[in-house]
Amino acid sequence: MTRERAMTQRNGMTPQDLVIRMLPPFGGWLALAALALPGGSPLRGAAVAAFLAVGPGAALVGICGPALRARRAEGPVERRDARFERHSDLLERLMLAVLLSVGAAMLVATVLIAAQAFSGDRVLLTLTLLTTLAAFCPRLRASPTPRTAPGAAPRTRKGSTL
């Protein structure tokens, strides 16, 4: 076994995983580079809007990805679509990425306004730096699910409402 393969098995990261993990920061740096284009350029607006819409949230969802995948979506009793769980989980992650991105942009903009240092370029730079930092953060591990007997009510943690 090669050393590279042993590292991949130990870390659980393949080259494809690394590329996917680096897409959100790459989008941010691409949006920053697009600021060099003229002000009314559609390419500039598209790059910045696409990054602001999903970039920071995608990096944050990537951090908690294993924890989100630990519990699959439960489909309706009558299954019309065999792939319900997969589509539901993808939609959940996409919406979570968009909402986290919008929330992060609002939070960064509010902090810069309060510091009297607000500008669109600074918001974009700050979000790109935070997205890059989030891409390098380790992934959260999924906690093991408690096992219950079939037909029994699931156990809840102390203080949990579920």
Side-chain angles (χ1 to χ4, degrees):
M1 183 183 309
T2 65
R3 180 179 175 172
E4 237 177 76
R5 193 169 184 190
M7 292 285 288
T8 299
Q9 286 179 349
R10 192 172 351 136
N11 295 341
M13 181 169 296
T14 63
Q16 293 85 6
D17 292 337
L18 184 62
V19 168
I20 290 171
R21 196 175 198 172
M22 290 298 129
L23 279 176
F26 177 73
W29 293 109
L30 188 66
L32 280 172
L35 292 178
L37 295 172
S41 171
L43 186 59
R44 176 182 177 167
V48 171
F51 172 71
L52 290 177
V54 293
L60 293 172
V61 168
I63 291 174
C64 57
L68 289 173
R69 285 188 291 273
R71 295 192 65 172
R72 306 288 297 173
E74 295 180 16
V77 176
E78 60 209 38
R79 293 184 184 253
R80 294 189 179 124
D81 185 9
R83 297 171 298 195
F84 173 82
E85 290 88 3
R86 181 173 183 270
H87 294 302
S88 179
D89 288 340
L90 287 173
L91 181 62
E92 174 187 342
R93 279 188 237 122
L94 176 65
M95 291 308 300
L96 189 58
V98 169
L99 294 174
L100 284 173
S101 292
V102 170
M106 289 174 51
L107 185 65
V108 166
T110 303
V111 167
L112 289 174
I113 288 170
Q116 296 180 353
F118 178 79
S119 77
D121 295 352
R122 286 184 184 145
V123 170
L124 188 61
L125 177 63
T126 304
L127 286 172
T128 300
L129 291 173
L130 291 174
T131 302
T132 304
L133 181 66
F136 286 109
C137 286
R139 304 294 190 226
L140 296 177
R141 288 188 243 173
S143 60
T145 57
R147 296 187 181 169
T148 58
R155 292 180 26 195
T156 60
R157 292 186 192 173
K158 187 175 181 179
S160 173
T161 58
L162 299 175

